[in-house]
Amino acid sequence: MQILTGIAVSPGVAIAEAVVLDAEELRIPQRMIPQKSVTAELDNLEKAVGVSVSDLEEQRDRVRERLGHDAADVFSWHIGVLKDASLNRQIVALIEQKRYSAAYATSTVMRNQQRRFQQMTDPLLAERIRDVQDIERRLLRNLLGASGEDLAHLTREIVLVAHDLTTSQTAKLSETMVAGVALDLGGPTSHTAILLRSWGRPAVVGLNTLSGAVSGGDLLIVDGVHHLVIVNPDEETLAEYSARRDNYVRLTDDLRSLRELPAATDDGVTVSLMANIEYPREVTTALDKGANGVGLYRSEFLFLAGQSPDEEEQYEAYREAIEGMEGRPVTIRTFDLGADKFTQEKTIEPERNPMLGNRSLRYSLQNLEMFKVQLRAILRAATAGPTRVMFPLVTSLIELRQAKMTIRDAMEDLEEAGVPFKRDIEIGMMLETPAAASQCRDFVKEVAFVSIGTNDLIQYLLAADRGNERVARYYTPSHPAVVKTLKDVIRACAKAGVDCSLCGEMAGEPIYTLLLIGLGLRSLSMSPHNIPEIKKLIRAATMARAQRVARRALTLDTETQVTNYLRSETKKLLPDDPI
Ligand code: PEP
Ligand code: MG
């Protein structure tokens, strides 16, 4: 049994056999094989090499015909590597002597080869790394069959293990029988983590070396409450976790009874619990979990399907979300592209520091036509029900004014074209930068509402990348600087009579609920799956108690003290819940 600690990003307990995905989504089903399978594995290897060589020879001949000898040379090089006796001997030795599967042995030898090229100073030779990667992929594909592995066709539940998942890989999980996810990389509020949470099954990220330590077929426990992954648990641990899993499912079922009840404290203060969504179809989950509206629709996820969405596609998506919420308000955030949510054109050099780069509103203002198309689509869709629009990552009043001016331009376009749209739409901003926090009193004069995006605000206040597991311990909402900033922003909004809510991940974390409502927030937006538990907590509290907790938290001067204090106060209200 092996226990690894990471960062829990989606609660619950999953117990199932592991499937390990490599970076190319190839599934490596097994690392070790029994002695009796050695001959069969050697046969598989020989066949895979044979097929790979003949594929390449065919391609080489075609290219030679069309483009000549030089262009065909690269194929000859690949063929040479595949036929290289020394490499073959190394793979065979791993299968025969260490009983590695052919896929695992191939991967091991090819990765060693890549490392050798990596260390070469000659840039031409270093370029060869990519060729060796290509060869590895080709061999693995031929060894593993049609396994660009289609998680969609699983016939039983598994735990998915990978070094990392892109946002688009993660988005596809909802249609699979994956019961839990464990990743080497990732921080607490990376967008992969956010998608895992909205998917609603247990997930732990930031496990560093897990994918190297696990073989396909190992039994895994993902404990999305205590930040743990347990590999091949002993019987006692397995029994304990089976009970915990059942208990967690029971608690979740009990929460269903709260669906129709308001999130009101015992002394009568109601808090709006809103949903964060990435796709319009998620409004169904939002309603099912009792959301009072959508507080954050991350519109940029329209891009992950591939192409840039045109105005009609966007209009349809926004309208679907607005109509789906059946009269409850929907706040659409304009595209927050860049950083870890890609779509920067593939041709552009990756930014050296994308979290501080051309992202969010900056990106939209530099791509004005794209921005205007989006605003037109939002303005048109807003005729279908209560809709607000907000801008992400605002850092200066000039940007905010430019963005508002672009809305006016979009309105003029629609006016001229005689297309119906909502003229008096409420315009707000996300407060996610220390600059906006410190200048909050100026910003609130120019917006109808503010939504505090703590995922980003925390990373910029504390200088800790939200997606980097290596600095995850520096990234915490409990830091006194975060608590104080929240207090200041909430006060500035209240003073100006501007509606203020919070839509970062901390809104869905029970230990922060008393603090947030005690500081004065009356609207929290979170992954729909978190709504029932936060509602339960609010209903168990009084506002007087929450205000006391907030006052005391503001006097503490380290993040550890704040976390411990908030956890113990929350535990008093929900003694039986895993917090
Ligand atoms: C945030 O930064 O808190 C936020 C809600 O936006 P995102 O997570 O999409 O950056
Ligand atoms: Mg953000």
Side-chain angles (χ1 to χ4, degrees):
M1 175 163 101
Q2 203 183 350
I3 302 177
L4 291 106
T5 306
I7 303 159
V9 293
S10 182
V13 174
I15 307 174
E17 282 186 9
V19 164
V20 187
L21 273 199
D22 81 355
E24 295 300 313
E25 285 191 58
L26 281 171
R27 174 171 157 187
I28 303 186
Q30 235 179 4
R31 287 175 197 259
M32 311 307 278
I33 49 165
Q35 183 64 42
K36 63 179 175 11
S37 307
V38 166
T39 319
E41 277 307 80
L42 291 171
D43 273 358
N44 288 344
L45 176 68
E46 200 180 318
K47 276 190 211 127
V49 173
V51 172
S52 304
V53 169
S54 56
D55 284 352
L56 282 165
E57 283 172 344
E58 221 176 275
Q59 283 184 35
R60 179 195 55 194
D61 296 345
R62 256 185 287 135
V63 170
R64 189 181 286 150
E65 237 169 66
R66 270 189 296 129
L67 304 169
H69 279 278
D70 284 351
D73 266 1
V74 63
F75 294 99
S76 304
W77 195 84
H78 282 212
I79 294 165
V81 172
L82 280 166
K83 288 183 167 171
D84 183 294
S86 141
L87 284 181
N88 266 304
R89 261 200 309 277
Q90 291 174 43
I91 300 175
V92 168
L94 288 177
I95 300 172
E96 284 179 343
Q97 291 159 24
K98 293 205 167 173
R99 287 197 278 107
Y100 279 13
S101 67
Y104 188 40
T106 300
S107 203
T108 308
V109 170
M110 290 300 181
R111 300 269 155 114
N112 284 341
Q113 199 67 11
Q114 285 160 37
R115 268 191 288 278
R116 278 192 43 217
F117 279 114
Q118 220 156 20
Q119 282 151 10
M120 293 184 181
T121 40
D122 180 342
L124 273 179
L125 285 177
E127 273 285 296
R128 289 293 190 196
I129 295 175
R130 233 171 286 148
D131 290 307
V132 180
Q133 282 167 345
D134 268 2
I135 296 166
E136 179 193 352
R137 258 176 252 140
R138 177 182 297 279
L139 260 179
L140 286 179
R141 256 193 306 275
N142 285 327
L143 272 168
L144 299 170
S147 44
E149 192 70 47
D150 237 334
L151 294 171
H153 293 116
L154 291 170
T155 50
R156 63 196 158 83
E157 290 204 326
I158 57 115
V159 166
L160 179 64
V161 175
H163 187 56
D164 195 13
L165 290 178
T166 62
T167 35
S168 39
Q169 284 172 318
T170 315
K172 282 189 241 153
L173 290 177
S174 60
E175 289 134 36
T176 68
M177 289 186 74
V178 173
V181 167
L183 304 179
D184 293 346
L185 300 189
T189 65
S190 64
H191 285 94
T192 293
I194 287 169
L195 282 175
L196 288 170
R197 198 165 11 254
S198 72
W199 166 66
R201 290 186 220 161
V204 177
V205 304
L207 288 149
N208 292 310
T209 52
L210 178 82
S211 73
V214 173
S215 298
D218 281 345
L219 186 64
L220 247 62
I221 296 174
V222 178
D223 177 347
V225 176
H226 299 101
H227 310 266
L228 299 179
V229 167
I230 304 174
V231 185
N232 293 326
D234 57 32
E235 269 179 34
E236 200 184 321
T237 311
L238 187 58
E240 183 195 324
Y241 266 96
S242 303
R244 278 199 205 181
R245 179 176 57 182
D246 297 347
N247 191 32
Y248 192 82
V249 172
R250 212 173 15 254
L251 275 173
T252 314
D253 286 348
D254 289 351
L255 288 172
R256 296 198 69 75
S257 60
L258 297 178
R259 191 176 171 274
E260 305 301 332
L261 300 174
T265 58
D266 205 32
D267 47 357
V269 180
T270 302
V271 180
S272 260
L273 298 186
M274 316 286 276
N276 291 352
I277 63 167
E278 284 77 42
Y279 299 97
R281 62 169 187 269
E282 286 175 279
V283 295
T284 318
T285 321
L287 290 179
D288 185 49
K289 299 288 175 186
N292 301 119
V294 169
L296 168 65
Y297 172 6
R298 292 185 163 98
S299 63
E300 62 279 2
F301 279 78
L302 282 166
F303 276 74
L304 298 184
Q307 310 282 312
S308 310
D310 65 21
E311 186 173 325
E312 281 319 297
E313 281 169 81
Q314 291 189 48
Y315 167 70
E316 288 302 332
Y318 305 145
R319 207 186 53 167
E320 185 186 340
I322 296 163
E323 284 181 352
M325 286 310 285
E326 299 167 351
R328 296 167 188 81
V330 173
T331 301
I332 301 176
R333 173 179 69 191
T334 61
F335 297 142
D336 184 4
L337 294 166
D340 64 339
K341 279 173 289 189
F342 62 99
T343 71
Q344 299 199 39
E345 291 82 345
K346 299 246 164 23
T347 49
I348 292 182
E349 270 291 291
E351 289 181 291
R352 274 188 297 279
N353 201 345
M355 282 295 184
L356 299 180
N358 185 17
R359 62 168 295 207
S360 298
L361 185 57
R362 298 170 186 178
Y363 185 87
S364 291
L365 289 173
Q366 286 184 36
N367 291 273
L368 267 183
E369 204 32 55
M370 173 201 82
F371 194 28
K372 248 205 294 180
V373 166
Q374 170 168 45
L375 292 169
R376 282 201 299 264
I378 295 175
L379 290 166
R380 288 170 54 201
T383 55
T387 309
R388 312 194 298 179
V389 61
M390 67 179 175
F391 305 120
L393 209 84
V394 179
T395 51
S396 92
L397 278 170
I398 293 176
E399 266 179 318
L400 176 65
R401 288 173 192 159
Q402 281 175 341
K404 287 172 75 175
M405 199 131 62
T406 317
I407 291 199
R408 281 193 289 275
D409 286 351
M411 285 184 179
E412 269 172 30
D413 285 358
L414 292 169
E415 183 96 62
E416 267 172 34
V419 178
F421 67 94
K422 178 139 176 84
R423 189 176 300 276
D424 52 352
I425 192 165
E426 278 190 16
I427 303 172
M429 64 181 274
M430 290 195 70
L431 193 137
E432 328 188 67
T433 62
S438 101
Q439 221 190 329
C440 188
R441 271 184 293 185
D442 299 320
F443 278 105
V444 290
K445 293 182 196 143
E446 305 197 17
V447 289
F449 66 95
V450 164
S451 185
I452 308 175
T454 41
N455 301 340
D456 278 312
L457 183 60
I458 294 169
Q459 76 166 342
Y460 296 126
L461 268 177
L462 304 183
D465 182 339
R466 60 192 270 191
N468 181 349
E469 67 286 351
R470 291 186 232 181
V471 292
R473 72 195 153 102
Y474 298 103
Y475 180 101
T476 168
S478 293
H479 194 294
V482 175
V483 179
K484 182 177 175 304
T485 304
L486 291 178
K487 180 198 80 177
D488 293 344
V489 169
I490 294 165
R491 285 223 176 132
C493 291
K495 225 170 161 188
V498 163
D499 176 42
C500 181
S501 61
L502 188 145
C503 61
E505 295 306 296
M506 74 182 288
E509 283 187 64
I511 72 160
Y512 297 113
T513 308
L514 289 173
L515 172 72
L516 296 178
I517 64 174
L519 286 174
L521 286 172
R522 296 293 173 264
S523 170
L524 301 173
S525 193
M526 63 198 78
S527 162
H529 296 281
N530 295 128
I531 290 177
E533 186 166 30
I534 300 297
K535 187 188 279 188
K536 182 177 172 188
L537 182 50
I538 291 173
R539 290 178 63 82
T542 60
M543 192 50 74
R545 182 184 196 125
Q547 283 164 345
R548 232 178 10 251
V549 167
R551 270 198 304 275
R552 169 101 179 96
L554 279 162
T555 66
L556 303 174
D557 59 7
T558 68
E559 51 273 36
T560 318
Q561 283 177 355
V562 173
T563 302
N564 291 343
Y565 173 64
L566 294 179
R567 177 163 289 121
S568 75
E569 287 299 314
T570 311
K571 267 279 181 208
K572 284 184 198 161
L573 292 174
L574 301 182
D576 299 328
D577 288 20
I579 288 163

